[in-house]
Amino acid sequence: MSLRSWSLSSWFTPLFVPLLLLLPPWSFFIKFVLLVFISTAWILAKTSSSSHPTPGNPSPHLCKSTCPTSCRDGVIAADQASLLVCLYRALPWVVISRKFGEFAERKLPPTIVVVLVWVYACLFGCNLQEADPSSVWDYESLGSFFRRKLHPGSRPVNTSSRIVIPADGTLTFCGAYTGGSLQQVKGVFYSLPKFLGRKVEPGPGGLLQKSGTCLYQTVIYLCPGDYHRFHSPARWRVEERTHIWGELLSVAPPILKNVQGLFTLNERVVLEGTWRFGYFGMVAVGATNVGSITIDCLPGLVTNSKNKYGTNSGVERRKLTNPVDLMPGQNVGNFSFGSSIVLLFEAPVGLEFLTSSFQKVKYGEHFL
């Protein structure tokens, strides 16, 4: 286990956790909530503590675009082995997500559902005026509100764009792939092969299919209050799909900044194919709470459940017998709670994005 993140609070953790769990006056639920809060808070505190190096606590190495793959993989492995990240990952997020999913799909009395939907909408700032249906009385469960549609015409798709924004959310990263590893946010990396669930070479002869092109990446975070459906960003053909079982950690930007390689840990569905410039990939990444991912063209796909071997890990990759052609703005699928969409696409070298990181975006808007 790495000592890279072991501050005073890290050394205190092994002593505090057993004490917290053994305190008899508190219920297990209260202890668990406190444990979740403390572990998450300490992970988020890593950035502020590491940004002020001292002689006894030197600043850790931060990878740049020029760092080799081995360097970045080492930083990712060291971060994932740190005590705080291990503590955070040790919490039963998959079980929590399944239980929350069962609750969200439960058909409760209409009055209770109305209260739940109204409180949720107010808490997370959901725009009910653009929702279809717009009345809170028309939802039979909290889960049906998560998957709400939009009124026709509320998101006009930009027809002059090569790529449009596929989902409402926050753009956490966009840019050209410079080799080595992909980026969750600027300066925080994850492995391309692990993310796609297969051995892959990003250059010519690998993902890239044409000369004069490079690989670009876009990450969009859907917060709990955002519209949860995602759409095709371009005209392309889906030829393969990969279901990768995994964890259901939070993908909120503060967590993404502090857990290297998080996207390779979570459950995800990878859609790969081609478009006018070559390779095109769209990845739906699951996250804490419901965690379910639905893909319209894959009705048999079931996520947030154990695989056929009864475990929460593994990779299942299939070529589609009948490839699916998608048009810009066409519905692809939905999340049952906030999560992330990652686009990987081949395009001519030298493209510049008009949008910047941590900018709010909406489905159908011009992107490229």
Side-chain angles (χ1 to χ4, degrees):
M1 186 166 289
S2 170
L3 302 183
R4 185 176 64 85
S5 302
W6 280 52
S7 59
L8 179 61
S9 61
S10 303
W11 287 106
F12 182 63
T13 303
L15 300 176
F16 179 79
V17 172
L19 179 63
L20 176 64
L21 296 177
L22 289 175
L23 285 175
W26 297 345
S27 67
F28 177 80
F29 175 76
I30 294 176
K31 297 173 188 175
F32 178 76
V33 169
L34 285 174
L35 188 57
V36 171
F37 174 78
I38 292 167
S39 63
T40 305
W42 278 342
I43 287 178
L44 298 182
K46 285 201 306 177
T47 298
S48 58
S49 63
S50 62
S51 62
H52 302 288
T54 63
N57 181 32
S59 178
H61 171 72
L62 297 177
C63 279
K64 299 179 181 180
S65 60
T66 54
C67 288
T69 304
S70 57
C71 172
R72 295 178 183 174
D73 289 346
V75 170
I76 293 172
D79 186 83
Q80 292 182 359
S82 65
L83 181 63
L84 298 185
V85 174
C86 285
L87 175 63
Y88 179 68
R89 292 177 61 190
L91 296 169
W93 297 114
V94 172
V95 175
I96 294 171
S97 298
R98 288 176 186 163
K99 293 299 181 183
F100 186 81
E102 293 172 3
F103 170 77
E105 297 301 328
R106 189 175 299 169
K107 294 183 180 179
L108 301 170
T111 305
I112 296 179
V113 174
V114 166
V115 172
L116 288 174
V117 171
W118 186 84
V119 170
Y120 183 91
C122 291
L123 187 63
F124 293 105
C126 302
N127 187 348
L128 291 174
Q129 293 182 344
E130 66 180 17
D132 184 18
S134 57
S135 173
V136 294
W137 289 96
D138 292 330
Y139 296 97
E140 60 182 13
S141 67
L142 189 58
S144 63
F145 180 70
F146 293 159
R147 298 183 296 274
R148 64 190 179 277
K149 296 181 179 180
L150 294 175
H151 276 301
S154 59
R155 290 285 191 284
V157 177
N158 191 312
T159 56
S160 62
S161 301
R162 289 169 290 189
I163 295 180
V164 297
I165 299 294
D168 288 12
T170 301
L171 193 71
T172 64
F173 183 81
C174 63
Y177 174 75
T178 56
S181 303
L182 299 169
Q183 297 189 60
Q184 297 171 168
V185 294
K186 188 173 182 179
V188 182
F189 298 90
Y190 63 105
S191 165
L192 175 61
K194 289 182 179 179
F195 184 60
L196 296 181
R198 62 187 176 95
K199 292 183 178 180
V200 60
E201 293 295 332
L207 288 184
L208 299 186
Q209 302 173 7
K210 298 183 179 181
S211 60
T213 61
C214 68
L215 190 66
Y216 293 89
Q217 178 203 4
T218 301
V219 181
I220 299 175
Y221 164 67
L222 289 73
C223 76
D226 286 327
Y227 166 63
H228 283 24
R229 294 177 180 268
F230 49 92
H231 301 253
S232 174
R235 181 174 182 175
W236 66 296
R237 169 171 289 190
V238 183
E239 299 167 348
E240 298 182 14
R241 71 89 163 163
T242 305
H243 179 197
I244 305 172
W245 283 264
E247 304 176 37
L248 288 173
L249 306 177
S250 171
V251 294
I255 301 294
L256 285 181
K257 291 179 181 179
N258 290 282
V259 181
Q260 296 270 355
L262 190 152
F263 279 163
T264 63
L265 300 175
N266 276 14
E267 182 173 16
R268 53 203 177 275
V269 176
V270 183
L271 303 178
E272 296 180 278
T274 55
W275 76 315
R276 59 190 290 191
F277 296 114
Y279 173 83
F280 201 98
M282 185 176 191
V283 186
V285 183
T288 303
N289 286 330
V290 181
S292 297
I293 304 168
T294 300
I295 305 295
D296 291 356
C297 63
L298 303 173
L301 178 70
V302 179
T303 61
N304 196 9
S305 63
K306 294 182 179 181
N307 61 23
K308 60 183 179 180
Y309 302 108
T311 66
N312 294 315
S313 61
V315 178
E316 182 184 67
R317 186 164 178 252
R318 294 181 183 176
K319 282 187 174 292
L320 300 186
T321 305
N322 298 309
V324 179
D325 292 317
L326 295 174
M327 299 297 293
Q330 183 175 341
N331 194 74
V332 175
N334 65 78
F335 295 110
S336 292
F337 206 66
S339 199
S340 289
I341 288 290
V342 178
L343 301 181
L344 296 169
F345 56 93
E346 180 178 0
V349 174
L351 294 182
E352 294 185 2
F353 297 90
L354 298 179
T355 48
S356 58
S357 295
F358 295 99
Q359 177 180 335
K360 289 292 291 184
V361 293
K362 290 186 179 295
Y363 138 65
E365 292 178 343
H366 171 78
F367 182 60
L368 192 64

